[in-house]
């Protein structure tokens, strides 16, 4: 039996990555599959060319919690030199009995990235049970540098529906955790550790139909246009709204329901978008217009040039959400965050609070849009927009509902 004593989940991931790279080098074919057991299920992993990819999560426990099981067939293919280092194909990661939640924070890919270095630390800490929620089962994908699907994830989370009358808003539970926010890019640095409390977020950007419903409700602070823009289907994201309009929308929801609705903070937005990954996109190394609405005539890595839709699309256009079950975090429309704009992350909060700045009239927008190149649609990309402007055809909103204690 070969033991490790991981200091924490980050150390555990590093150890696993290093060991799997060694296993790959010792194989006749440069690939190996490993199964990680945890308290709520198992995660199957594979290495290829020394890098680690998650394959699939299984709900029913099929391995000893806290253990790594090497597939016996692959174990037998290790070189004699490497095989001699292991008495048994089962390797206990933590002999002290600690159980790490492995199904999410390990993410999609360890390896090279095209541009900036991203924060890699990501851990799920808290996933409360939400009253009156439904179990939402879904699939998510991982793309390689050619935008080809290399992995599928079978996932599940909790979802509730907030009724608006004729229309409802699907809300997805985002579990609490901590992650390294940002990248080495100037406006996205320094990379810093942020702890995030659990919250609910709308599964899609707010649509024109949902906006029109809430705009007809009683005013809290000021009036809202029922149709800020007439072009496009009612199932497409509302645009041409100011930050103040978005805040009023949340205020009316709060007043109507007695619950606290607001815009996501910037740290909550990135945490939701990345959904445990440490690649440039939540879908992996790049994106394609098959799964994201952006200017796909401009490439990011080695993917083919593709469709440029030149407008917003319906929220039901794409079939794959990220690994938290949230759609359209890349492209379609930029989304208002509650934070004032800051040129970088020096002095940024270390929790999911909103970062305010007296005298600043610009607010953060995240996610990129239908009219942007892929580099502006990454998980860490951020821009500023004047909080009073209603001129943009590519800025919308997504809402957060705070959880009551």
């Amino acid at each position: 039996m070969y033991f490790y004593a991981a200091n924490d989940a980050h150390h555990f991931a590093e150890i696993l990555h290093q060991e799997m790279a060694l296993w790959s080098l010792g194989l006749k074919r440069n690939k190996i599959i490993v199964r990680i057991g945890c308290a709520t299920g198992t995660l199957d992993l594979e290495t290829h060319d020394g890098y680690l990819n998650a394959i699939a999560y299984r709900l029913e426990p099929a391995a000893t919690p806290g253990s790594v099981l090497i597939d016996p067939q692959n174990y037998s293919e290790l070189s004699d030199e490497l095989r001699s280092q292991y008495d048994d194909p089962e390797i206990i990661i933590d002999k002290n009995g600690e159980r790490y939640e492995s199904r999410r924070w390990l993410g999609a890919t360890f390896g090279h990235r095209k541009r900036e270095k991203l924060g890699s630390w990501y851990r799920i800490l808290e996933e409360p049970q939400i009253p009156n929620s439904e179990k939402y089962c879904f699939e998510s994908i991982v793309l390689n540098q050619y935008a080809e699907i290399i992995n599928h994830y079978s996932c599940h989370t909790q979802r509730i529906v907030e009724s608006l009358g004729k229309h409802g808003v699907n809300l997805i539970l985002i579990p609490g955790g901590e992650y390294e926010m940002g990248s080495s890019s100037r406006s996205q640095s320094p990379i810093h550790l942020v702890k995030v409390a659990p919250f609910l977020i709308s599964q899609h950007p707010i649509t024109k139909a949902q906006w029109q419903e809430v705009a007809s409700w009683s005013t809290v602070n000021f009036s809202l246009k029922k149709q800020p823009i007439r072009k496009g289907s009612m199932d497409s994201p509302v645009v041409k709204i100011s930050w103040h309009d978005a805040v009023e929308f949340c205020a009316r929801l709060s007043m109507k329901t007695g619950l606290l609705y607001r815009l996501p903070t910037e740290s909550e937005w990135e945490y939701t978008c990345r959904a445990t990954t440490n690649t440039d996109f939540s879908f992996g190394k790049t994106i394609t217009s098959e799964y994201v609405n952006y200017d796909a005539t401009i490439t990011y890595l080695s993917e083919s040039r593709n469709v440029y839709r030149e407008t917003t699309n319906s929220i039901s256009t794409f079939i794959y959400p990220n690994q938290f079950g949230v759609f359209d975090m890349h492209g379609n429309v930029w989304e208002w965050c509650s934070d004032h704009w800051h040129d970088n992350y020096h002095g940024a909060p270390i929790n999911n609070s909103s970062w305010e700045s007296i005298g600043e009239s610009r607010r953060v927008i995240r996610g990129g849009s239908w009219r942007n190149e892929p580099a502006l649609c990454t998980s860490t990309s951020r821009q500023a927009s004047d909080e009073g402007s209603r001129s943009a055809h590519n800025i919308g909103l997504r809402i957060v509902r705070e959880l009551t204690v």
Side-chain angles (χ1 to χ4, degrees):
M1 195 70 71
Y2 193 84
F3 288 97
Y4 291 111
N7 298 326
D8 52 32
H10 190 199
H11 185 205
F12 162 55
E14 291 176 343
I15 290 173
L16 184 60
H17 184 207
Q18 292 167 6
E19 283 300 317
M20 292 181 76
L22 288 174
W23 294 336
S24 284
L25 293 175
L27 289 173
K28 295 175 184 177
R29 60 175 191 261
N30 200 24
K31 189 173 182 179
I32 192 168
I33 295 176
V34 172
R35 176 164 290 175
I36 293 181
C38 57
T40 55
T42 60
L43 179 73
D44 286 347
L45 302 154
E46 70 173 6
T47 60
H48 185 69
D49 295 330
Y51 297 111
L52 176 62
N53 295 306
I55 299 176
Y57 175 69
R58 289 172 172 78
L59 297 180
E60 64 279 2
T64 305
S67 68
V68 170
L69 303 178
I70 308 172
D71 180 81
Q73 180 180 354
N74 288 320
Y75 179 72
S76 67
E77 293 180 353
L78 287 168
S79 67
D80 291 339
E81 180 180 356
L82 284 178
R83 274 184 67 186
S84 66
Q85 299 179 32
Y86 304 97
D87 296 326
D88 191 292
E90 182 178 34
I91 299 175
I92 305 301
I93 291 301
D94 189 348
K95 61 184 179 182
N96 297 318
E98 293 292 333
R99 295 182 178 183
Y100 292 110
E101 178 58 71
S102 306
R103 66 186 170 101
R104 288 186 173 171
W105 61 265
L106 278 175
T109 306
F110 289 78
H112 297 292
R113 301 173 181 85
K114 182 187 177 187
R115 291 174 173 81
E116 309 297 341
K117 178 182 178 182
L118 277 68
S120 58
W121 168 232
Y122 208 120
R123 182 170 64 164
I124 301 300
L125 296 173
E126 182 182 3
E127 189 168 354
Q129 183 63 40
I130 308 301
N132 303 315
S133 65
E134 63 177 4
K135 184 177 180 180
Y136 171 59
C137 299
F138 59 96
E139 276 199 351
S140 190
I141 56 172
V142 180
L143 304 176
N144 63 15
Q145 66 268 31
Y146 304 104
E148 300 167 335
I149 297 177
I150 57 173
N151 282 325
H152 282 85
Y153 291 90
S154 295
C155 309
H156 72 94
T157 188
Q158 297 173 60
R159 181 173 67 178
I160 64 172
V161 180
E162 183 65 79
S163 176
L164 305 181
K166 295 180 181 179
H167 308 280
V169 177
N170 288 335
L171 300 171
I172 293 291
L173 171 66
I174 304 301
E178 56 187 11
Y179 77 115
E180 285 184 327
M181 181 178 178
S183 77
S184 58
S185 176
R186 180 177 299 178
S187 69
Q188 301 165 17
S189 66
I191 296 172
H192 57 292
L193 188 66
V194 177
K195 188 171 183 178
V196 178
F199 58 94
L200 294 164
I201 195 166
S202 55
Q203 191 171 22
H204 305 89
I206 296 301
T207 66
K208 293 167 63 178
Q210 293 164 341
W211 180 273
Q212 189 175 78
E213 186 78 27
V214 174
S216 66
W217 294 356
S218 300
T219 298
V220 175
N221 294 306
F222 50 85
S223 62
L224 294 174
K225 286 185 177 181
K226 289 186 179 181
Q227 286 187 299
I229 185 170
R230 295 181 182 276
K231 181 181 178 182
S233 73
M234 295 299 287
D235 200 29
S236 61
V238 65
V239 292
K240 296 196 72 176
I241 57 167
S242 70
W243 180 87
H244 296 293
D245 293 335
V247 171
E248 173 70 14
F249 181 93
C250 294
R252 294 189 186 190
L253 263 177
S254 297
M255 184 175 68
K256 186 87 168 182
T257 63
L259 303 166
L260 183 54
Y261 280 93
R262 56 175 174 80
L263 295 177
T265 66
E266 187 174 13
S267 58
E268 288 170 339
W269 193 98
E270 184 172 321
Y271 181 82
T272 302
C273 179
R274 289 175 61 174
T276 76
T277 63
N278 59 8
T279 46
D280 290 351
F281 303 91
S282 61
F283 293 132
K285 294 184 177 181
T286 190
I287 49 177
T288 169
S289 60
E290 290 182 61
Y291 312 117
V292 177
N293 183 8
Y294 68 106
D295 184 357
T297 63
I298 302 172
T299 60
Y300 191 70
L301 288 179
S302 305
E303 74 277 11
S304 300
R305 298 181 191 278
N306 216 316
V307 176
Y308 176 31
R309 293 178 175 84
E310 300 186 46
T311 188
T312 58
N313 59 260
S314 165
I315 62 170
S316 61
T317 299
F318 302 119
I319 62 173
Y320 292 117
N322 68 13
Q323 292 175 52
F324 278 158
V326 182
F327 289 86
D328 286 332
M329 295 299 288
H330 304 293
N332 211 3
V333 291
W334 289 96
E335 296 173 8
W336 287 112
C337 292
S338 61
D339 307 52
H340 281 110
W341 172 257
H342 296 80
D343 292 335
N344 52 53
Y345 290 141
H346 288 287
I350 59 173
N351 56 24
N352 57 314
S353 60
S354 185
W355 194 9
E356 304 301 316
S357 180
I358 297 174
E360 176 60 69
S361 63
R362 294 172 298 168
R363 298 283 177 167
V364 174
I365 53 175
R366 297 293 299 255
S369 77
W370 57 266
R371 67 185 302 175
N372 296 122
E373 62 185 270
L376 291 178
C377 299
T378 65
S379 298
T380 56
S381 174
R382 57 195 299 264
Q383 296 287 322
S385 185
D386 188 87
E387 62 187 21
S389 175
R390 295 190 178 100
S391 61
H393 286 73
N394 62 339
I395 300 179
L397 80 153
R398 190 184 297 268
I399 59 173
V400 159
R401 194 181 97 182
E402 292 192 3
L403 297 177
T404 54
V405 179

